[in-house]
C-alpha cells in the first residue's frame, strides 16, 4: 500500500518560515506530480503548489514568491519551503501524489497524506 507521510508543520509567527516534507513509500515506480494542498476551517481545499517529475511547477497566486516546491525523485519526496508566512496561510496542509505508477498495480492512481497543521499566529 502506498502511503504519504508529512512532517514539518507547527506554530510560527507572522513573517516566519516552515519547511514541510512528504515522503511516499511503497513499491513505487514513478510519480508524475507531487504537490501540496491546504484547507482552512470552513473553506474548500485549494492547491498551494505542485511539481511534475521533470520540474514543471504550478503555484497559487497567493503564495507566489513566498513558497517554493522542490522534489527528490529518487526518494519520492516533495518539500514545501514556506517563507514570509501570513496568518491567512493557517490551514491543514495535505501532500498529494498524482499519476503514481505502482509495481503490480493496474492504473496510476493518486494518493493523499494525512495532513499537517500549519498555524501562523502572534
Amino acid at each position: 500500500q502506498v502511503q504519504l507521510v508529512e512532517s514539518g508543520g507547527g506554530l510560527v509567527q507572522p513573517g516566519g518560515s516552515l519547511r514541510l516534507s512528504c515522503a511516499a513509500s511503497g513499491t513505487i515506480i514513478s510519480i508524475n506530480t507531487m504537490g501540496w494542498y491546504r484547507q482552512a476551517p470552513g473553506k474548500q481545499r485549494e492547491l498551494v503548489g505542485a511539481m511534475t517529475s521533470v520540474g514543471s511547477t504550478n503555484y497559487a497566486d497567493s503564495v507566489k514568491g513566498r513558497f517554493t516546491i522542490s522534489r527528490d525523485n529518487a526518494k519520492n519526496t516533495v518539500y514545501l519551503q514556506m517563507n514570509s508566512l501570513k496568518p491567512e496561510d493557517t490551514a491543514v496542509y495535505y501532500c498529494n501524489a498524482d499519476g503514481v505508477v505502482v509495481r503490480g498495480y493496474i492504473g496510476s492512481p493518486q494518493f493523499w497524506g494525512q495532513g499537517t497543521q500549519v498555524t501562523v499566529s502572534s
Side-chain angles (χ1 to χ4, degrees):
Q1 181 68 38
V2 173
Q3 291 186 325
L4 304 181
V5 180
E6 300 132 321
S7 63
L11 175 65
V12 66
Q13 294 184 353
S17 297
L18 284 174
R19 182 177 173 85
L20 306 183
S21 63
C22 170
S25 62
T27 54
I28 298 169
I29 296 174
S30 63
I31 302 173
N32 188 301
T33 305
M34 297 190 76
W36 295 89
Y37 292 72
R38 67 186 181 187
Q39 187 168 23
K43 296 185 178 180
Q44 189 174 14
R45 186 174 300 186
E46 64 175 352
L47 173 70
V48 177
M51 178 178 283
T52 69
S53 62
V54 295
S56 179
T57 57
N58 184 30
Y59 293 97
D61 288 341
S62 61
V63 307
K64 287 181 179 177
R66 299 188 298 120
F67 292 9
T68 303
I69 283 181
S70 59
R71 284 180 64 168
D72 185 336
N73 291 336
K75 297 181 179 180
N76 289 320
T77 300
V78 63
Y79 305 91
L80 182 66
Q81 179 66 48
M82 303 184 293
N83 298 326
S84 302
L85 282 161
K86 304 174 181 179
E88 52 263 43
D89 294 319
T90 296
V92 177
Y93 284 69
Y94 296 91
C95 179
N96 174 263
D98 201 358
V100 183
V101 180
V102 183
R103 181 183 178 185
Y105 282 26
I106 300 298
S108 53
Q110 67 174 321
F111 296 90
W112 291 91
Q114 79 286 351
T116 184
Q117 178 71 47
V118 172
T119 302
V120 185
S121 176
S122 299

